[in-house]
Amino acid sequence: MDWLIWVSVAALALGVWHEVNRFPATGNSLRNLQEALEDLQSENEDLKQRLSTLEDDYQEVSEQLDRIRDPAYWRAIDEKDGEALYDLDKQRGNT
């Protein structure tokens, strides 16, 4: 049974080799597909980088909006004033 599998694999490899070498259109199609795949991978990496930049920008804008909405809280954070933070939490009913 093992020899039958080896013969089948060898025939498949020979068939693929024959298709690629005997018919240039097949080889060109495979090369075009490989180039398209490489382009897609490159574009995917570019999009990942752009998405990461957008996420960073979003975080920055979100923090700026939070600072505008609640300046007392952020002032206490910036000054590392734990007592002021505790007092704000008490006033807001968070403790």
Side-chain angles (χ1 to χ4, degrees):
M1 186 69 172
D2 287 337
W3 65 271
L4 184 59
I5 293 173
W6 284 107
V7 169
S8 299
V9 169
L12 179 63
L14 184 63
V16 169
W17 177 83
H18 180 267
E19 282 293 317
V20 170
N21 290 322
R22 182 81 170 145
F23 301 104
T26 302
N28 288 338
S29 293
L30 290 175
R31 279 190 289 280
N32 289 341
L33 284 173
Q34 182 64 30
E35 288 173 6
L37 181 61
E38 289 171 1
D39 289 344
L40 285 174
Q41 288 172 339
S42 174
E43 185 178 348
N44 189 28
E45 288 300 319
D46 181 47
L47 288 173
K48 283 181 184 178
Q49 184 178 5
R50 289 174 58 193
L51 180 61
S52 177
T53 302
L54 284 173
E55 287 173 345
D56 293 342
D57 290 347
Y58 171 77
Q59 290 295 330
E60 184 179 327
V61 168
S62 178
E63 184 177 324
Q64 288 175 358
L65 284 174
D66 285 344
R67 286 178 177 274
I68 290 169
R69 288 181 185 147
D70 196 357
Y73 173 80
W74 284 98
R75 186 172 32 260
I77 292 271
D78 291 339
E79 294 172 359
K80 296 180 174 110
D81 188 353
E83 188 174 322
L85 286 171
Y86 179 74
D87 290 339
L88 282 171
D89 280 345
K90 266 183 24 181
Q91 290 172 0
R92 296 171 184 180
N94 294 334
T95 58

